[in-house]
Amino acid sequence: MGLSDYTSLLKITGRVVRGTTPRLLWKFVRNFGLRNLSNMAAFERRMRKGEPFFPAFMMISVTEACNLACSGCWVTKGGKKSLTPEQLDGIIRQSKSQGSYFFGILGGEPLMYHGLFEVLEKHPDCYFLLFTNATLITPELAQRMNKLGSVTPLISIEGLRDESDRRRGKDDVYERTLRGLRACRDAKLIFGVAASICKSNFDELVSRKHLEDLAHEGAAFMWYYIYRPVGADAHPENALSKEQIRQLRQFIVEQRRQAPLIIIDVYWGADGKAICPGATGMSHHISPSGYVEFCPPLQMAMEQLNADGSNLVEICRKSEFLADLRKMIADTTRGCILMEDPEKLADFLEQHGGFETTSRATFMDELKRMHHVPGHDMKDEAIPEKSPLYRMLQKRYFFGFGAYG
């Protein structure tokens, strides 16, 4: 690493350490860091040796319920489906039996799921990334997460004041989100911010000023996604152009070495080639109705959890549907098949007899109407990683695990 890389990393580390407590920092290092190293090594071994499959990480949407109504969201607006606490507990226990101790907790808005923290409190050896709009985070709730010690809120900011209200279907969303964010900061939590980048928020959020503002508010990291025009209110006209995707990748690569917070993405490897985490087998998703899905926006499946979630390992090991889907997608694209070839995906799902997993029961019709939009596979225009540290991490963990030959 160059001197500037070390200087930037030391500044970020120092700020995060000063902003939290030794207990929370140790939980983060032990439960997220050290256990993840062991988990990834076990996952890599299973993939290399052809052992029974289980993903490295499980993403869990605990409920369809949400207090916002965002355009371009795949979650059913007004949906009522939720996992039972017994199923959520079973998912975690089953994953732990395979050496996986890290989970993404999604919704809807997961803070609308009754009994969430009661379940998480049963697993002090795990770490949970909580995907939330933060509008429901009060100082009291932030202190409860502090006491738990193993939750990192990942706070969704989809634009500044006007854009947040337009995209999220409510008023004063940005200010309410900031209040929740500041409650996390005051409770000395380690937390990050996420954004789904589209045309309407590109200039506001893909900027050095935005990163500096987030660091000033105490965020430890920024996670950039690419907007996927899915769901009942898709708005494909808001999808990024090919040039904007290139600009986003260039911005991430440049700012990773100098920004005042850590910048994360899961779309590209060290050489800049595109990656689909689902196709590599690195992660899969549990829907609010208990179906084991390829990824959150692909709302079709063939296998469902039982009442206590105790069949998760068996599903992952024996599912021909998931195995065939991983192979088909890896053979088709390194990017996102939902964006690049929705017709092929629809044909696959119909041939395999996949079940709709949402309350609205319109996913297949939505898929057949989807427009082709640029994905993150930049092919010959790939932009390699410049940060030596991130190159090392990507080579170690994001190289595809043989999915792409």
Side-chain angles (χ1 to χ4, degrees):
M1 294 174 67
L3 181 60
S4 61
D5 294 281
Y6 278 117
T7 301
S8 177
L9 181 60
L10 286 173
K11 287 181 178 179
I12 296 170
T13 302
R15 179 173 62 79
V16 172
V17 168
R18 291 191 299 272
T20 189
T21 67
R23 181 179 65 88
L24 294 185
L25 189 62
W26 169 239
K27 276 244 181 180
F28 180 83
V29 171
R30 183 184 63 183
N31 289 14
F32 175 73
L34 298 179
R35 284 202 168 101
N36 261 341
L37 288 175
S38 175
N39 173 37
M40 290 301 295
F43 172 73
E44 180 183 350
R45 183 193 67 247
R46 291 195 297 270
M47 299 299 285
R48 185 177 64 248
K49 294 185 176 181
E51 296 175 354
F53 173 79
F54 194 84
F57 311 114
M58 196 62 75
M59 311 299 282
I60 311 168
S61 288
V62 293
T63 182
E64 288 182 320
C66 189
N67 61 329
L68 300 180
C70 304
S71 63
C73 180
W74 56 79
V75 179
T76 301
K77 294 176 182 177
K80 303 297 183 183
K81 292 184 177 181
S82 294
L83 294 170
T84 66
E86 293 76 18
Q87 286 176 318
L88 177 57
D89 183 61
I91 293 166
I92 297 170
R93 292 185 185 280
Q94 286 272 291
S95 299
K96 286 163 61 174
S97 75
Q98 303 302 299
S100 179
Y101 291 81
F102 175 68
F103 304 88
I105 305 296
L106 305 85
E109 171 50 57
L111 293 178
M112 294 183 70
Y113 180 81
H114 298 294
L116 175 64
F117 291 108
E118 286 79 0
V119 175
L120 303 191
E121 285 165 356
K122 295 179 180 180
H123 301 280
D125 51 349
C126 293
Y127 209 87
F128 304 96
L129 187 63
L130 183 72
F131 292 67
T132 174
N133 61 49
T135 61
L136 301 178
I137 298 180
T138 62
E140 294 76 19
L141 186 58
Q143 286 296 334
R144 185 171 185 181
M145 287 189 276
N146 175 294
K147 183 178 179 181
L148 183 59
S150 56
V151 175
T152 281
L154 180 60
I155 297 170
S156 173
I157 295 179
E158 295 301 303
L160 304 185
R161 286 173 176 82
D162 292 342
E163 175 66 8
S164 284
D165 288 352
R166 283 194 299 268
R167 283 280 307 283
R168 315 208 78 163
K170 296 290 179 69
D171 295 330
D172 200 30
V173 174
Y174 183 69
E175 290 300 331
R176 287 189 287 147
T177 295
L178 283 184
R179 285 196 291 271
L181 182 153
R182 289 163 181 163
C184 294
R185 179 192 64 194
D186 294 344
K188 297 188 178 299
L189 298 176
I190 299 172
F191 67 92
V193 172
S196 176
I197 302 301
C198 56
K199 286 179 179 175
S200 59
N201 67 16
F202 190 95
D203 291 339
E204 289 183 342
L205 302 187
V206 186
S207 75
R208 177 58 183 248
K209 182 181 185 305
H210 182 57
L211 298 180
E212 291 174 348
D213 290 344
L214 294 178
H216 179 74
E217 294 286 357
F221 59 92
M222 174 70 192
W223 193 339
Y224 280 113
Y225 310 114
I226 293 175
Y227 175 77
R228 285 167 170 75
V230 296
D233 189 25
H235 290 275
E237 73 280 357
N238 209 15
L240 294 178
S241 67
K242 182 178 178 181
E243 175 58 22
Q244 285 176 316
I245 292 174
R246 189 196 66 79
Q247 291 176 15
L248 174 62
R249 170 62 178 168
Q250 188 68 51
F251 177 81
I252 290 172
V253 165
E254 292 175 353
Q255 292 300 317
R256 192 119 60 195
R257 301 186 70 181
Q258 54 183 288
L261 74 176
I262 296 168
I263 298 180
I264 297 173
D265 74 84
V266 293
Y267 292 125
W268 294 284
D271 55 5
K273 290 184 178 179
I275 285 177
C276 168
T280 68
M282 193 184 307
S283 69
H284 283 324
H285 175 250
I286 309 293
S287 77
S289 51
Y291 281 96
V292 184
E293 299 175 338
F294 178 84
C295 69
L298 207 168
Q299 298 176 303
M300 297 287 284
M302 289 192 69
E303 293 90 7
Q304 191 174 24
L305 296 178
N306 57 18
D308 62 1
S310 60
N311 60 338
L312 177 60
V313 171
E314 181 182 14
I315 288 173
C316 290
R317 288 180 172 180
K318 295 183 178 180
S319 174
E320 294 181 5
F321 175 79
L322 288 173
D324 290 348
L325 188 52
R326 287 193 299 271
K327 184 178 186 307
M328 185 275 288
I329 291 176
D331 288 346
T332 301
T333 177
R334 295 184 69 105
C336 178
I337 195 169
L338 273 168
M339 304 171 79
E340 298 171 13
D341 201 345
E343 295 94 345
K344 185 171 184 177
L345 180 58
D347 289 343
F348 175 93
L349 296 174
E350 287 187 327
Q351 290 168 8
H352 282 70
F355 299 106
E356 170 96 16
T357 63
T358 74
S359 292
R360 64 185 184 276
T362 57
F363 175 78
M364 185 59 75
D365 290 337
E366 294 161 10
L367 183 62
K368 291 179 178 180
R369 295 196 304 268
M370 279 186 68
H371 296 250
H372 286 243
V373 295
H376 62 281
D377 187 358
M378 300 167 62
K379 297 181 172 61
D380 294 338
E381 298 179 10
I383 299 174
E385 187 60 52
K386 292 183 179 179
S387 164
L389 175 61
Y390 215 77
R391 282 187 65 87
M392 181 272 292
L393 291 173
Q394 288 174 319
K395 284 182 177 180
R396 180 66 181 83
Y397 296 133
F398 299 160
F399 57 87
F401 304 106
Y404 304 108

